[in-house]
Amino acid sequence: MDDEAAKKAEEEWSDRHSDLGEVVPEGKDSETTQAEQENTDGTEGAQENGQAIVADFLTEERSRLQETMLLLGLETYCNRKLSLQDARQISFDSMKNWAPQVPSDLPWSFLRKLLALNSEVRNTTLLSDLPQDDRTGEKEMQMDEQEIYWGTSEDIYSLTELVTTPDVPLNPLDLLCALLLCSDNFLQQELLVKMSLCQFALPVVLPDSESQNHTFLLWALRGVMRTWWWQSPGGPRTLREESLVLTRVPIISFARMDISSHSKSHLLNAVMSPCHHQPHDYFCHREMPSAANAREIADGLVEMSWYSPGGSSKENTDVFPEPVAFANLRGEIGSHWQQFKLLTEMSSAVFILTDNIGQKEYELLCSLSGSTTRYYLILSPYRGKRNANLRFLNKLVSVLQMDYSHVLVKVSSTDSKRLVKRLQAIVVNVIKSASRKVSLEDMAETARTLGLKVDEDCEECQKARERVEKITQDIKDVELYKREKLWLQGDPWRNIAQVEKELCRLQRAGDSSPEKYKSELRQRLLTLRMHQNRYEPGCGMQEFIKGIANPSLVEKQFFLGWMKLKLEEMARQSRRQPPEAFATLGPKHSQPAELSEQLWPASLGVEHFLREMGQFYEAECYLVEAGKMAESQKRFTHFVGLASELVLSGFPLELMDRGTCCVPLRWVTGILRELHARLEGRPRLLVLSVLGAEGTGKSTLLNTMFGLQFATSRSYKPHGTFMQLISVTEDFRQDLGCDFILVIDSGGLTGGATAARGERYELEVSLATLAMGLSNITVVSMAEAKDTPLAALHAFLKLEKLGHVPNCQLVSQDLSDGPVPRPNLRDRKQLLEQLNDLSKAVAEMEKQEKERTLSKMVLCDPEKHIWHIPRLWHGVPPMAPVSLGYCEAVFELKRCLLENIRNGVCHQHRDIVHLVELVGRL
């Protein structure tokens, strides 16, 4: 700042001197002030060692942590960590939308709601007077959900007693910290991904008040992606998607010193939101339900929220021109100096909130001298502190290289908007002049030097990373790597698939007799399989096999996680930017498949390595069947065991490759038989599949419904058909009638009538027939009736001939840019009529004499089988959270599906042996 500007700022400051001693903080009484002052007794020693923790305080915190875990019923998970499989299990509670009634309900309610992207997950209020749901399966103890909510004529007055009772108030941040401390690395990562989609601030440093081994959550944050529009000077807008941990942005930190009548979090939410919009609750603040409760174990938590510009050309809603991160330290800086020091070393600017500056605060701030970080003070001074504040502020100006414009004073509640605008202007100036842009990986390095633990530093994670780097260091060009290192797929697998299909169809026999033609095809197939069998797994494949064969389950999970992350990062780096018309931030209607493949270059994923294993296994099995190899010579029989272990651990496994639309029959049935052997008499399966045009939100729907991990990334989206296994809890299996639910996510089909021709259409019919033929329930996702894939309707016709048509649910997803009225019964009937017209057209293509409609084939009732799912986003991405309406509608669909299964509406469950037979027939 030049001399004239500094002088002007100082004069403005002088005009407001009288404010420094005249304001009593709002909402503060003497008891509250005394209690908060007692909680900061440890700040005296901060200038000596940067730590403000004394022995008796440590003992008190240790008991607080233990008491919190006991209160939440999580004490058993302090050592045996909760896993993602635990959180995904289907139980009685999966069908109910109860509010938690006792504190031990809170963790499970939080997990279920967060995995379902419910934005109300942070409300920890208890409804203690609701009747307990019997979880032992006894019918007499269960109450109908509708009766609970609406009551009957006899108990309508008793509904007034169903009030919230804060008997055991718990701050949402305490619940979050307790759950993260009791979760393994992989559940932590999934929870943070879901929090990011809800636009919640993410925990970066997790405090552990018992051991004081605070953890920097680098691994947990690796799964989070950020998307934003980037406007280069003088250039076109481009869409960027990057891993959060690799994105370098300026960091703006907020912290509290001693006592502040301001709510940091409320202020941060306002700063991150457009002035003419209601602030989104990125950070929990005291005006939210339960968030005003005193924190027991969450002090020392560092949260961060990333602002990403949307680049909207229609209306200027961007608060900041570039991405920027905001950090928030919970608790007082003197008691959490280690975390505060991390923020001061990594931030471009630090805002410190306090009501007054005394000798203790002055000494604490002096310890920050010499830093290149910009410091700002936000004051709400007490009465009678005017002279003391001025004396210390005049000293700090030179010590911290500040000027008077770096001191902001809020003197009344009417100052809030003016203060927010001032802060936004300061942040914009900091962003434009910021020379320091850091990533979370950079922060982790600094965290290590400060003595913080980093979750990625565990031995299993590092070993897995080293193995993955051995594989990926050889991948310079994806297409070249697949041709030269993954020998058995690509053209060899396509050629085999074509011969196998021709063996079934015999469409090109010509003048040859069928038997002679079949013999020629079998000989050609034998030649191709013998050619495959001559190869050995390459170095990369050998490392991959070692990785998934690792006896350490944790190291294996880290290995698969690193493989996925590294390969997806390669895909982002090599991705060509598509035209703006196809690069929208929200899901849109599908493009023609040929154009889509041209715009999105082929990528490499974990499924390619598993597909290669499958081809080694298939070639070997075929040669044994043909009598060209002895059973004792087989070397790859253990591959199906490795793959079945992945399925049991909840990993999505490819069922059909979209490139060939051919099921590797021996590989898939081998895995299913291995599953049958490992499940030891519990092989009852219920199969649920989802079909639809590309871009209609199929994978997002499944992930929200069941907490799954089907790929939805813009940079890398596999096009095959994948299956994932979900376990049912022991106490619900008898009632539900199955032990596991097998979920099938089909690759996106081509929508519209123009798709009903050519070889691609035939391949898509095969894909749809397989997914639906294996299923008890099929969900067809669409945006509009005209975009419904005809291949799906064609598959219904084929399955009707075979006598197996699954229970069908039609889901109309709102993919518009703005709110759309909820369809009524008339709209649903109209949609069904349009689908009936399409199914008639498909029947005519098949030259069927009998007129067939969808409503006749699947007994579709507009009131029971057609669902409307509202728009995914509440607002305009990338800063829009998932809408509450979306997650509530998806939950209701899930509840209905489980109710249908429970009531036997869909076909009887299947055992794995039956599934193996179906795979062979379809």
Side-chain angles (χ1 to χ4, degrees):
M1 177 178 287
D2 55 32
D3 294 341
E4 184 177 349
K7 183 176 180 181
K8 184 178 179 180
E10 186 171 357
E11 289 173 355
E12 181 184 357
W13 167 260
S14 300
D15 292 339
R16 302 179 67 185
H17 277 178
S18 59
D19 295 333
L20 290 175
E22 302 302 326
V23 177
V24 178
E26 300 165 5
K28 293 279 183 180
D29 55 30
S30 59
E31 292 181 4
T32 303
T33 303
Q34 182 180 1
E36 291 189 9
Q37 185 66 44
E38 290 173 358
N39 282 336
T40 59
D41 288 340
T43 59
E44 292 291 347
Q47 65 271 22
E48 299 177 359
N49 58 8
Q51 301 285 340
I53 302 170
V54 290
D56 57 342
F57 183 72
L58 186 61
T59 304
E60 179 187 356
E61 286 297 300
R62 182 177 292 116
S63 63
R64 282 183 182 179
L65 181 62
Q66 292 173 349
E67 287 173 4
T68 301
M69 294 300 184
L70 286 169
L71 177 71
L72 296 172
L74 293 174
E75 65 276 8
T76 58
Y77 296 104
C78 292
N79 294 319
R80 188 194 81 78
K81 303 295 185 183
L82 279 166
S83 70
L84 192 50
Q85 292 292 84
D86 294 327
R88 281 181 184 152
Q89 280 192 311
I90 303 293
S91 67
F92 280 105
D93 292 334
S94 301
M95 299 177 61
K96 304 297 182 183
N97 198 18
W98 304 126
Q101 301 170 48
V102 293
S104 58
D105 288 343
L106 287 171
W108 306 105
S109 172
F110 185 95
L111 285 173
R112 282 194 300 273
K113 286 185 175 180
L114 185 56
L115 291 178
L117 300 175
N118 190 316
S119 58
E120 295 183 340
V121 64
R122 295 181 293 188
N123 186 348
T124 59
T125 306
L126 300 176
L127 296 179
S128 59
D129 289 336
L130 283 174
Q132 287 285 336
D133 182 23
D134 178 21
R135 305 182 186 196
T136 63
E138 295 181 7
K139 301 291 184 181
E140 64 270 20
M141 295 296 290
Q142 297 179 8
M143 297 185 67
D144 183 73
E145 185 175 23
Q146 191 70 15
E147 192 174 299
I148 294 286
Y149 284 127
W150 299 105
T152 63
S153 58
E154 284 127 1
D155 64 8
I156 189 167
Y157 294 105
S158 67
L159 290 177
T160 58
E161 299 175 8
L162 302 182
V163 295
T164 58
T165 54
D167 297 329
V168 191
L170 187 73
N171 192 289
L173 293 176
D174 287 334
L175 175 60
L176 174 63
C177 288
L179 258 177
L180 291 175
L181 287 169
C182 292
S183 301
D184 67 15
N185 299 91
F186 313 100
L187 179 55
Q188 286 181 351
Q189 188 177 85
E190 185 66 10
L191 294 180
L192 266 58
V193 168
K194 300 294 187 181
M195 289 178 68
S196 173
L197 291 171
C198 293
Q199 294 295 347
F200 296 160
L202 304 180
V204 176
V205 177
L206 178 65
D208 185 341
S209 56
E210 183 167 290
S211 66
Q212 294 303 308
N213 289 326
H214 311 308
T215 305
F216 190 94
L217 299 176
L218 185 60
W219 172 261
L221 289 158
R222 281 212 182 263
V224 181
M225 299 291 147
R226 297 299 289 183
T227 306
W228 72 94
W229 283 105
W230 177 266
Q231 180 73 58
S232 57
R237 291 192 311 154
T238 56
L239 183 68
R240 290 192 177 183
E241 182 186 61
E242 287 187 1
S243 168
L244 191 67
V245 300
L246 302 177
T247 305
R248 283 190 162 85
V249 294
I251 297 177
I252 311 296
S253 295
F254 281 66
R256 172 174 63 84
M257 182 173 63
D258 196 44
I259 297 172
S260 173
S261 54
H262 278 304
S263 166
K264 288 196 317 300
S265 303
H266 195 276
L267 186 61
L268 268 167
N269 293 338
V271 169
M272 291 181 65
S273 303
C275 293
H276 54 284
H277 286 191
Q278 176 70 25
H280 176 69
D281 293 329
Y282 301 101
F283 296 89
C284 277
H285 58 88
R286 65 183 65 157
E287 295 180 20
M288 293 172 59
S290 309
N293 299 330
R295 293 189 296 270
E296 297 294 331
I297 63 172
D299 279 352
L301 173 70
V302 176
E303 299 170 284
M304 291 179 68
S305 185
W306 282 256
Y307 180 86
S308 302
S312 174
S313 56
K314 295 182 180 179
E315 75 178 286
N316 186 19
T317 57
D318 288 339
V319 182
F320 307 109
E322 298 178 25
V324 59
F326 292 88
N328 183 11
L329 172 61
R330 300 289 181 168
E332 203 270 336
I333 62 177
S335 301
H336 308 286
W337 189 256
Q338 196 178 27
Q339 293 93 314
F340 181 64
K341 189 67 175 172
L342 173 66
L343 296 182
T344 61
E345 293 193 18
M346 304 308 294
S347 300
S348 297
V350 175
F351 290 83
I352 300 173
L353 286 78
T354 188
D355 283 346
N356 292 284
I357 301 177
Q359 182 64 35
K360 178 175 60 176
E361 291 74 34
Y362 170 72
E363 291 177 356
L364 196 65
L365 291 173
C366 283
S367 66
L368 303 174
S369 62
S371 171
T372 58
T373 303
R374 299 188 197 181
Y375 291 96
Y376 296 82
L377 296 176
I378 301 177
L379 304 178
S380 288
Y382 288 154
R383 181 182 296 119
K385 297 287 187 177
R386 175 175 181 268
N387 292 335
N389 283 331
L390 284 174
R391 184 171 68 253
F392 288 118
L393 282 171
N394 287 329
K395 293 180 182 180
L396 284 174
V397 166
S398 59
V399 172
L400 296 182
Q401 298 180 349
M402 300 167 57
D403 56 48
Y404 292 104
S405 66
H406 286 216
V407 181
L408 310 175
V409 179
K410 179 174 181 284
V411 296
S412 70
S413 60
T414 59
D415 269 352
S416 296
K417 289 186 178 180
R418 186 168 63 87
L419 177 63
V420 168
K421 288 183 178 179
R422 180 82 181 276
L423 288 171
Q424 289 175 339
I426 291 172
V427 172
V428 168
N429 184 53
V430 170
I431 292 173
K432 290 180 178 178
S433 60
S435 58
R436 178 190 295 170
K437 293 185 178 182
V438 297
S439 67
L440 287 171
E441 282 192 341
D442 300 329
M443 287 188 73
E445 287 297 326
T446 303
R448 292 183 180 99
T449 64
L450 294 173
L452 290 167
K453 183 174 69 173
V454 178
D455 57 357
E456 280 187 7
D457 290 348
C458 66
E459 184 180 1
E460 295 92 344
C461 184
Q462 291 305 308
K463 283 184 176 180
R465 184 173 190 170
E466 290 171 6
R467 188 182 298 279
V468 169
E469 287 174 348
K470 287 181 183 178
I471 298 171
T472 56
Q473 67 184 1
D474 294 331
I475 306 174
K476 309 301 180 186
D477 181 280
V478 168
E479 285 297 335
L480 186 64
Y481 184 84
K482 287 198 286 190
R483 283 198 305 270
E484 296 186 350
K485 302 297 182 182
L486 302 178
W487 301 297
L488 306 193
Q489 50 193 287
D491 287 338
W493 171 223
R494 271 190 290 271
N495 293 336
I496 289 171
Q498 288 174 0
V499 175
E500 289 184 338
K501 288 173 185 174
E502 186 61 17
L503 265 171
C504 297
R505 299 171 182 173
L506 300 179
Q507 292 177 338
R508 302 172 185 174
D511 297 331
S512 300
S513 66
E515 290 305 319
K516 181 181 178 182
Y517 186 52
K518 283 184 180 180
S519 177
E520 291 173 357
L521 290 174
R522 291 192 186 100
Q523 185 59 43
R524 196 183 310 168
L525 189 56
L526 178 61
T527 302
L528 290 169
R529 288 300 191 188
M530 290 181 72
H531 179 73
Q532 280 187 318
N533 196 56
R534 285 202 291 265
Y535 286 99
E536 294 288 335
C539 295
M541 273 302 304
Q542 291 178 32
E543 289 295 335
F544 180 83
I545 294 165
K546 290 177 184 176
I548 65 172
N550 197 305
S552 167
L553 177 61
V554 175
E555 189 172 333
K556 183 193 301 185
Q557 289 177 302
F558 272 121
F559 172 77
L560 290 168
W562 277 118
M563 280 291 292
K564 179 175 177 289
L565 291 168
K566 292 288 187 181
L567 294 175
E568 287 183 357
E569 182 59 29
M570 287 182 177
R572 278 189 291 274
Q573 291 175 0
S574 63
R575 172 183 167 184
R576 287 172 290 174
Q577 184 63 40
E580 185 171 318
F582 297 116
T584 52
L585 287 170
K588 290 288 183 183
H589 303 317
S590 60
Q591 314 103 38
E594 292 80 4
L595 180 57
S596 178
E597 290 174 1
Q598 180 184 352
L599 293 173
W600 307 97
S603 299
L604 183 66
V606 174
E607 71 274 8
H608 289 89
F609 290 86
L610 288 167
R611 193 184 301 163
E612 189 79 357
M613 289 175 61
Q615 287 304 301
F616 275 109
Y617 179 84
E618 286 251 326
E620 203 171 62
C621 287
Y622 187 86
L623 294 182
V624 171
E625 292 169 12
K628 300 297 182 180
M629 177 187 289
E631 186 76 31
S632 59
Q633 291 179 294
K634 293 172 72 172
R635 296 173 296 157
F636 306 122
T637 52
H638 64 292
F639 282 5
V640 290
L642 298 178
S644 67
E645 288 176 2
L646 297 184
V647 175
L648 285 172
S649 67
F651 188 81
L653 193 74
E654 187 179 63
L655 185 63
M656 177 189 280
D657 168 23
R658 174 73 180 275
T660 61
C661 272
C662 186
V663 178
L665 194 59
R666 296 166 185 83
W667 172 243
V668 172
T669 56
I671 293 170
L672 292 174
R673 288 192 180 98
E674 188 69 24
L675 281 174
H676 180 75
R678 290 172 183 260
L679 291 176
E680 298 178 351
R682 294 187 292 107
R684 298 181 303 166
L685 292 179
L686 192 291
V687 185
L688 182 149
S689 64
V690 173
L691 292 169
E694 193 166 350
T696 53
K698 302 177 306 303
S699 301
T700 301
L701 179 70
L702 286 175
N703 292 347
T704 307
M705 200 182 302
F706 296 110
L708 303 179
Q709 292 177 307
F710 291 116
T712 57
S713 169
R714 295 181 172 276
S715 295
Y716 180 66
K717 178 70 170 71
H719 294 292
T721 299
F722 289 79
M723 59 182 182
Q724 194 166 351
L725 198 65
I726 311 172
S727 175
V728 179
T729 57
E730 293 281 354
D731 59 351
F732 193 40
R733 287 175 177 171
Q734 188 64 35
D735 200 19
L736 194 62
C738 64
D739 306 305
F740 294 90
I741 294 178
L742 185 68
V743 179
I744 298 177
D745 181 18
S746 68
L749 304 176
T750 306
T754 57
R757 61 178 182 269
E759 185 178 357
R760 177 177 291 275
Y761 178 70
E762 291 182 7
L763 295 177
E764 291 192 349
V765 171
S766 299
L767 185 153
T769 303
L770 174 73
M772 293 162 57
L774 296 177
S775 302
N776 300 89
I777 302 175
T778 292
V779 176
V780 179
S781 176
M782 68 190 79
E784 301 176 39
K786 64 183 179 65
D787 294 314
T788 303
L790 296 189
L793 300 177
H794 198 139
F796 275 122
L797 284 173
K798 292 182 67 175
L799 292 170
E800 188 187 29
K801 291 180 182 178
L802 296 175
H804 171 71
V805 177
N807 178 277
C808 181
Q809 303 291 327
L810 304 175
V811 175
S812 172
Q813 297 212 49
D814 177 10
L815 305 182
S816 63
D817 291 328
V820 174
R822 184 180 181 87
N824 53 30
L825 179 58
R826 180 181 176 183
D827 296 325
R828 293 198 293 271
K829 287 181 178 179
Q830 184 178 0
L831 175 63
L832 183 57
E833 288 173 4
Q834 293 171 338
L835 292 173
N836 283 335
D837 291 339
L838 285 173
S839 60
K840 289 177 186 178
V842 173
E844 289 175 5
M845 288 168 53
E846 288 292 294
K847 299 179 181 179
Q848 291 195 7
E849 296 179 1
K850 189 177 179 182
E851 185 180 273
R852 304 305 296 157
T853 62
L854 184 66
S855 55
K856 290 180 180 178
M857 285 188 289
V858 299
L859 302 176
C860 189
D861 184 335
E863 294 189 63
K864 298 179 180 179
H865 299 95
I866 296 181
W867 300 81
H868 172 73
I869 305 294
R871 189 168 178 258
L872 174 63
W873 304 114
H874 179 68
V876 180
M879 293 305 294
V882 173
S883 74
L884 183 61
Y886 177 85
C887 71
E888 287 179 341
V890 172
F891 172 80
E892 186 58 26
L893 173 60
K894 174 185 176 181
R895 188 196 64 76
C896 178
L897 293 176
L898 292 176
E899 195 66 50
N900 286 345
I901 296 169
R902 189 180 183 185
N903 295 335
V905 173
C906 47
H907 290 289
Q908 189 179 9
H909 71 264
R910 304 193 169 121
D911 58 31
I912 294 180
V913 175
H914 186 201
L915 203 62
V916 170
E917 294 173 358
L918 278 175
V919 171
R921 285 209 315 262
L922 293 169

